[in-house]
Amino acid sequence: MIALSPVAAALEGPRTMRRHPVSLLIWGGLYLGSLILLSVLLVAVFGDEVRRDLAQTRFTADPREVLQLISHLGGAMALIILLAAAMSAVLAGAILRSIMHPEQSQGAYLRLGADEVRLFVVALIAWATALFVTAIPSGALTLLTATVAGAGARGLSAWIAFLGGLAVIGLSMWVGVRLSLLSPQTFAEGRINVRESWVLTHGHFWGLLGMFVLNLLMALGATMAMSLVGGILTGLIALIGGGSKLFVILGLLVNLLIAPLIVTVQTVILTAGPARAYRQLHPDI
């Protein structure tokens, strides 16, 4: 069996950002533009009443609530989700291209082509999988525990919630790790093959899980560091400006620029790790 190095795979994200700092900033700009576009669409498509309902909604894991919300929003929410998935596919394609084809650096590795279409489909597969292995089981578990508790068996309800929660988490982690190389495999091979991706991770579950734990810790550390820098800059601007409107706007602009950059850094870390793991399992690439 080909060896997999979780640490080397997890460190691919920081290496990618160090190799392509200008591309990282451009990707952050793309993400910011995507947020602005989605916000404009949200305002244009949803009326004041729907936006008010969204703001007042308290979401739970109850699938009836989710279905009610979806039926209320209609196809507009589906359109927003599809656009978000398309933008995510473009960014993922650029990150994967920078790792697997570093010579194709034109336009910060950003493209609109067949690779991005396939990654868009992979994103939809990932969302559907999350729905069936996480959202629906969680909703069913919530209904079951509420029913048992309503019947007066609160002790049993607590145990069902605890053990069922562990089962849902375990199932989600297992399926997520087993399909974690689908994006880099699809990009590298130019075709979507879920079964082959599942087989590819056989025997590497714990190594890939370790990689993702390291990736999550890196993403958390990067988020905390960049948030701290943003807070310091905002504080300095406020101190210098003394409450001036211009400096207040400047402080808001700093936060507006840092927030999408944080998400971009997280995306690079969580995308580059599986890409490096895939290359480790395919040394000929």
Side-chain angles (χ1 to χ4, degrees):
M1 181 178 292
I2 299 175
L4 173 70
S5 172
V7 175
L11 290 174
E12 184 63 27
R15 281 194 293 261
T16 299
M17 291 184 282
R18 188 180 67 247
R19 287 194 302 262
H20 311 294
V22 176
S23 295
L24 177 66
L25 293 176
I26 294 175
W27 297 339
L30 172 67
Y31 189 83
L32 175 60
S34 301
L35 288 179
I36 294 173
L37 176 60
L38 288 174
S39 299
V40 171
L41 288 174
L42 186 66
V43 172
V45 173
F46 297 149
D48 291 335
E49 180 184 351
V50 174
R51 290 200 299 273
R52 206 164 40 243
D53 290 344
L54 284 173
Q56 295 173 355
T57 299
R58 295 183 62 187
F59 296 101
T60 68
D62 190 339
R64 292 172 301 181
E65 180 184 276
V66 177
L67 291 174
Q68 182 181 4
L69 178 64
I70 292 174
S71 62
H72 186 50
L73 298 179
M77 181 59 98
L79 176 62
I80 297 293
I81 291 174
L82 291 175
L83 287 173
M87 295 170 183
S88 173
V90 172
L91 180 56
I95 297 169
L96 292 170
R97 190 171 289 109
S98 72
I99 296 169
M100 297 185 177
H101 302 291
E103 73 283 356
Q104 300 178 6
S105 59
Q106 301 89 346
Y109 299 96
L110 292 167
R111 304 284 190 278
L112 281 175
D115 289 328
E116 285 68 30
V117 172
R118 285 187 288 266
L119 289 174
F120 170 74
V121 176
V122 168
L124 296 183
I125 291 174
W127 287 7
T129 302
L131 175 67
F132 283 103
V133 304
T134 304
I136 292 178
S138 296
L141 179 63
T142 299
L143 288 176
L144 177 60
T145 53
T147 301
V148 173
R154 295 189 176 275
L156 178 59
S157 172
W159 275 107
I160 291 175
F162 175 71
L163 296 176
L166 289 180
V168 171
I169 292 173
L171 176 64
S172 301
M173 289 174 55
W174 181 61
V175 174
V177 169
R178 293 301 304 272
L179 292 177
S180 61
L181 302 186
L182 181 58
S183 287
Q185 179 202 38
T186 298
F187 183 87
E189 300 180 8
R191 60 191 178 93
I192 301 173
N193 191 326
V194 177
R195 181 181 180 280
E196 187 176 313
S197 178
W198 183 273
V199 172
L200 179 64
T201 57
H202 177 71
H204 299 289
F205 175 83
W206 294 110
L208 289 170
L209 181 62
M211 176 199 71
F212 279 115
V213 170
L214 291 174
N215 278 162
L216 289 174
L217 291 175
M218 289 178 187
L220 177 61
T223 300
M224 294 175 62
M226 295 176 71
S227 299
L228 178 61
V229 170
I232 292 174
L233 289 176
T234 304
L236 288 175
I237 291 171
L239 184 62
I240 295 172
S244 168
K245 267 188 183 179
L246 177 62
F247 282 87
V248 170
I249 294 174
L250 186 58
L252 292 174
L253 182 62
V254 168
N255 285 307
L256 180 66
L257 294 176
I258 286 181
L261 188 59
I262 289 175
V263 178
T264 304
V265 168
Q266 294 172 345
T267 304
V268 172
I269 291 173
L270 296 174
T271 303
R276 178 61 183 271
Y278 176 81
R279 294 194 68 176
Q280 288 178 3
L281 297 178
H282 286 78
D284 54 320
I285 295 178

